[in-house]
Amino acid sequence: MNIFRLTGDLSHLAAIIILLLKIWKSRSCAGISGKSQILFALVFTTRYLDLLTSFISLYNTSMKVIYIGCSYATVYLIYMKFRATYDGNHDSFRVEFLVVPVGGLAVLINHDFSLLEILWTFSIYLESVAILPQLFMISKTGEAETITTHYLFCLGLYRALYLFNWIWRFYFEGFFDMIAIVAGVVQTVLYCDFFYLYVTKVLKGKKLSLPA
């Protein structure tokens, strides 16, 4: 454990809490991509199957359970409890164009050709692009609520901090995971435009809206 991983985990947790509170307090999931949330639920489910086979630490286990539980709670709120507020017309990204290629890549490029390892690799690849339906939805509506932008910022910050975590681990532990690093870079790059708009607009008290 190092400071970058810890702050990355806390940023990730903050993103999840912000999203859940946003939906619950407003009684609405308007502006939230249900498809992205399904992908994140799939990410955590396939990544943390090792909960059934090994124990690393109480912290590790607790965070995994929280991520899985919150992801499915979010999906439930969007597609069941507050379904009437879900904007399915704008949440139209074809997720099969992500899941199928990512699944094929995980089978072809992994650390070990075993079921759990392939599923773990699948989750790493899928997480790097899981936010695309949300970004696509924002591009279609042309704007996003401020609280939604805070959620996205924390989510992007989490991945950026994890890149520093990998760098730290390489220099101080000799640990290097090319799959996780490349996927992390891809994910962070996808957030770059959003980070720019967040800093130049949201942090100045303006609503995030895209040029017409």
Side-chain angles (χ1 to χ4, degrees):
M1 178 67 70
N2 59 68
I3 188 63
F4 298 113
R5 178 177 176 180
L6 179 60
T7 53
D9 286 346
L10 293 177
S11 180
H12 194 183
L13 186 60
I16 293 171
I17 293 173
I18 288 171
L19 180 61
L20 284 171
L21 287 177
K22 183 268 181 196
I23 296 174
W24 188 259
K25 293 184 71 174
S26 67
R27 316 299 285 181
S28 170
C29 57
I32 302 299
S33 169
K35 291 185 176 182
S36 270
Q37 297 311 311
I38 288 176
L39 293 180
F40 282 124
L42 183 58
V43 164
F44 298 134
T45 302
T46 53
R47 180 175 304 172
Y48 298 141
L49 289 173
D50 62 344
L51 283 170
L52 304 174
T53 62
S54 61
F55 177 81
I56 298 175
S57 68
L58 181 60
Y59 171 84
N60 184 274
T61 298
S62 298
M63 294 299 282
K64 289 177 179 179
V65 171
I66 289 172
Y67 290 153
I68 294 173
C70 288
S71 66
Y72 281 99
T74 304
V75 170
Y76 166 77
L77 292 178
I78 293 173
Y79 287 101
M80 299 292 290
K81 191 169 184 64
F82 303 123
R83 183 177 178 83
T85 65
Y86 170 57
D87 186 5
N89 291 328
H90 286 115
D91 192 16
S92 56
F93 192 94
R94 299 284 296 277
V95 294
E96 62 269 28
F97 292 154
L98 299 178
V99 175
V100 174
V102 161
L105 187 61
V107 171
L108 294 173
I109 303 177
N110 51 69
H111 295 308
D112 178 57
F113 198 76
S114 63
L115 180 60
L116 286 181
E117 187 64 31
I118 290 173
L119 289 175
W120 178 87
T121 306
F122 170 79
S123 77
I124 295 295
Y125 292 153
L126 184 60
E127 186 184 21
S128 70
V129 294
I131 200 61
L132 282 177
Q134 179 67 65
L135 298 178
F136 182 72
M137 188 176 187
I138 292 175
S139 73
K140 290 192 71 175
T141 60
E143 60 183 19
E145 295 180 27
T146 299
I147 190 67
T148 304
T149 64
H150 294 332
Y151 156 71
L152 290 171
F153 177 77
C154 286
L155 204 58
L157 181 62
Y158 136 71
R159 181 44 64 186
L161 287 168
Y162 253 66
L163 287 180
F164 288 105
N165 165 61
W166 295 127
I167 294 172
W168 176 281
R169 295 192 65 184
F170 174 72
Y171 278 103
F172 293 96
E173 301 175 18
F175 182 83
F176 184 78
D177 188 331
M178 180 61 75
I179 289 175
I181 292 173
V182 171
V185 169
V186 170
Q187 188 174 356
T188 304
V189 168
L190 290 178
Y191 282 94
C192 285
D193 282 347
F194 170 79
F195 282 150
Y196 173 77
L197 291 174
Y198 185 85
V199 171
T200 58
K201 292 190 175 182
V202 180
L203 291 185
K204 294 182 179 180
K206 302 177 183 178
K207 187 173 183 178
L208 190 150
S209 57
L210 302 178

